[in-house]
Amino acid sequence: MKPEAVDPSENASDDADLEDAASRAVAGVASAALDIGGFIRSQRVAAEVSLRQLAERAGVSNPYLSQIERGLRKPSADVLAQIAKGLRVSAEVLYVRAGILEERPASPVRDALLVDSAISERQKQMLLEIYESFCRENSSDSAKS
């Protein structure tokens, strides 16, 4: 049996496609990092908090926070939660901006819970889960009727 000849141009085409997909993925990650970094910076400036103050509140180093804001680093979910706490905003807002969570439809109840400073982030998430389960239950009940 004679082995089949492989056209080298086919492999080159496949390699080019893989390189193109990889560069698009890298560009997507860089874009998300810039987006979340710029958003964090705008929130920090709006809250009139210095970079040093936010770094201290969030428990991260000054240079690391600066790199996040400039889009050089993409923070983990844990770091985003700490930054959200330091900015006194919902971690969910930062997760959505970073592409970790999908944006949910607007709801006055959800919005009120997310901005309430009297409860912790964990309590907010628990209340949101309960609220959403009630909404799902009610929509399935009305679908049966």
Side-chain angles (χ1 to χ4, degrees):
M1 233 184 188
K2 191 175 180 183
E4 282 187 41
V6 176
D7 183 358
S9 66
E10 285 181 23
N11 285 344
S13 174
D14 290 344
D15 289 345
D17 289 344
L18 286 173
E19 286 178 22
D20 188 41
S23 66
R24 283 194 312 269
V26 168
V29 168
S31 173
L34 278 172
D35 183 43
I36 189 62
F39 182 74
I40 289 170
R41 179 180 296 206
S42 67
Q43 293 297 304
R44 179 179 60 75
V45 169
E48 298 179 354
V49 175
S50 72
L51 185 72
R52 186 178 308 274
Q53 289 170 322
L54 180 56
E56 190 175 299
R57 288 180 187 177
V60 297
S61 72
N62 226 15
Y64 181 59
L65 182 58
S66 176
Q67 289 173 348
I68 291 170
E69 285 191 355
R70 290 181 287 139
L72 301 175
R73 296 280 193 120
K74 188 166 188 220
S76 68
D78 289 339
V79 170
L80 283 174
Q82 289 302 109
I83 292 171
K85 190 175 180 182
L87 288 170
R88 293 186 176 96
V89 298
S90 167
E92 184 176 0
V93 170
L94 295 185
Y95 292 159
V96 168
R97 283 305 280 240
I100 295 172
L101 286 179
E102 289 183 26
E103 192 164 3
R104 300 179 196 177
S107 157
V109 173
R110 279 187 69 254
D111 295 345
L113 276 173
L114 292 174
V115 298
D116 192 335
S117 60
I119 57 177
S120 71
E121 285 300 315
R122 178 76 181 129
Q123 291 167 331
K124 290 176 187 180
Q125 291 305 314
M126 295 303 296
L127 287 171
L128 286 171
E129 287 176 23
I130 293 167
Y131 172 71
E132 289 169 0
S133 73
F134 286 154
C135 290
R136 282 191 304 273
E137 185 179 309
N138 291 343
S139 68
S140 68
D141 286 347
S142 63
K144 293 176 186 176
S145 303

